[in-house]
Amino acid sequence: MPGTSPPAPKCRQLVAQRVEIRDNLLARTAEAEREGWFGEVEGLQVSLAGAEDELAQLDAEQTRRGTAVDLGMPTFAQIAIRTSDVEEPAP
């Protein structure tokens, strides 16, 4: 996609760590459900929701940083018109 740049290595590493944490929480939640540890399940679900929210924030930040903004380079004619309207100081 034009106007996007690859995420910085530090950002990729952060995302990879958060994905690993989320996957670990999913596995631990499944284990807790299998073992009938319902209090543990609730706590893990809260942590999982936080991890997924953080991943969504990181994804939104990558999208926002990767989008180019056209600031519109003025042409010489546009600049010349502006400067010709300026009055010269009186002697």
Side-chain angles (χ1 to χ4, degrees):
M1 177 161 56
T4 60
S5 59
K10 185 175 182 179
C11 190
R12 281 194 305 261
Q13 181 182 9
L14 190 61
V15 170
Q17 289 172 345
R18 296 310 183 263
V19 168
E20 185 178 343
I21 289 169
R22 184 203 56 203
D23 292 347
N24 182 281
L25 286 167
L26 286 169
R28 290 172 56 197
T29 301
E31 177 187 12
E33 287 173 344
R34 221 178 23 255
E35 298 295 330
W37 303 331
F38 300 113
E40 185 75 11
V41 170
E42 288 179 26
L44 289 168
Q45 287 174 340
V46 169
S47 297
L48 180 60
E52 288 176 340
D53 183 51
E54 191 169 345
L55 275 171
Q57 289 175 12
L58 287 170
D59 185 47
E61 183 178 340
Q62 280 183 323
T63 301
R64 188 173 52 251
R65 287 180 184 255
T67 304
V69 176
D70 181 16
L71 299 177
M73 186 68 140
T75 64
F76 178 75
Q78 292 170 327
I79 295 170
I81 290 172
R82 286 190 218 151
T83 57
S84 64
D85 292 342
V86 177
E87 294 182 24
E88 299 221 6

